[in-house]
Amino acid sequence: MEILAFGVQADEKPMIEKAFEGHHDVRCLDVFLTEDTAPIAAGYEIISTSVNAILDHRVLQTLAAGGTQMIAQRSTGFNNIDLEVAERLGLTVARVSYYSPYSVAEFAWTLAMAVNRRIVRASNRTRDFDFRLDGLMGRDMRGRTAGVLGTGKIGEAFARIAHGFGMRLLGWDVAENPACVELGMEYVEKDRLLAEADLVTLHVPLLPATHHIIDAAALKAMKDDALLVNSSRGGLVDTEALVTELRAGRFAGVGLDVYEAEAGLFFLDRSLAGVEDDTLARLVTFPNVVVTSHQAYYTTDAVGQIIDTTVQNVLDYTRGRRGENVLVPRLTSRAS
């Protein structure tokens, strides 16, 4: 059987081909799954998609009509998939429920330190042989307060690094993580965390309850000189409200690896075509903002785990097993 994989990055392609070797053939495409590209999947029983694929009812109907029966998404998040429609169409949908939390936690800290110590501005200056220090002053992290919204595996990994810096830890989640409590984390209400934290980092999934968890009111509750980092999902932050606060001169730094309207932009080269998104265009002009292209997960360790799990999800399907990563089960069994 040949598997069709959408949205494969150049670095990923040899890893995916090697992982499937001896199991199934795989055809890798660099285009992302959208309503326009969905017809390419006609005749493929199994497809694999990336985090920025759009699997709404129109795309899922096209896939089902073309004979697709199984979707193996190469990500943990699945807010881009209409699971109710998938189940109604009899599609099996699986995801990657776990990969290295250190990849995202370490990158979140990379963003935090980049904006705190003005690394991008300094690098741009030195390329022009401008070695002044004006405007490059940052702050020690030791003794300051880190507010971690979402203390699962990634939030815990972030907290461990913060603990290593000698920071005070505040946490917010639906349930306390004992490992974080052992680090000295104090669980508090969200409003208190936002008011007291010098650094706010987001590690919650994007759900209806967490959409715009950082809205205009939350932004106003934060310290004027706080750092804000989002390496989870773009929809957690009301970007227009963030731009408003940045225009008012607030926040020492903002590091964003995700953006709520990133579909159709991130992972693509838009340098010649230009970007029509006025909010994003305004956002990247602020000197205290660093925006990266959803790359926090992008390490050989994490991507390798993602691919290995995806292969296992496919093998589970072809062998008639329902693995722990299945989001929507098949409605009919398949002979092994």
Side-chain angles (χ1 to χ4, degrees), residues 116-169:
N116 176 41
R117 301 306 299 270
R118 315 291 193 261
I119 298 299
V120 175
R121 185 188 297 183
S123 177
N124 289 338
R125 282 186 184 178
T126 55
R127 286 178 180 273
D128 293 329
F129 301 101
D130 178 353
F131 300 102
R132 293 172 300 157
L133 298 182
D134 297 346
L136 301 183
M137 186 174 289
R139 296 179 292 178
D140 289 2
M141 289 290 98
R142 181 175 178 81
R144 287 190 161 81
T145 299
V148 185
L149 290 169
T151 57
K153 291 181 174 65
I154 296 174
E156 177 189 332
F158 187 96
R160 290 189 182 279
I161 299 172
H163 180 71
F165 272 109
M167 300 186 75
R168 172 188 175 223
L169 299 175

Side-chain angles (χ1 to χ4, degrees), residues 264-265 268-278 280-281:
L265 291 174
L268 300 172
D269 181 2
R270 299 299 299 271
S271 59
L272 297 179
V275 173
E276 297 179 356
D277 188 322
D278 292 337
L280 179 60

Side-chain angles (χ1 to χ4, degrees), residues 252-285:
V254 175
L256 303 175
D257 185 50
V258 288
Y259 174 61
E260 59 182 325
E262 69 183 51
L265 291 174
F266 282 24
F267 305 146
L268 300 172
D269 181 2
R270 299 299 299 271
S271 59
L272 297 179
V275 173
E276 297 179 356
D277 188 322
D278 292 337
T279 303
L280 179 60
R282 184 71 180 93
L283 186 65
V284 299
T285 64

Side-chain angles (χ1 to χ4, degrees), residues 202-225:
L202 309 180
H203 301 292
V204 296
L206 180 58
L207 304 168
T210 60
H211 180 256
H212 284 183
I213 191 171
I214 301 298
D215 57 11
L219 291 165
K220 291 185 181 300
M222 293 171 59
K223 293 182 177 181
D224 288 343
D225 61 351

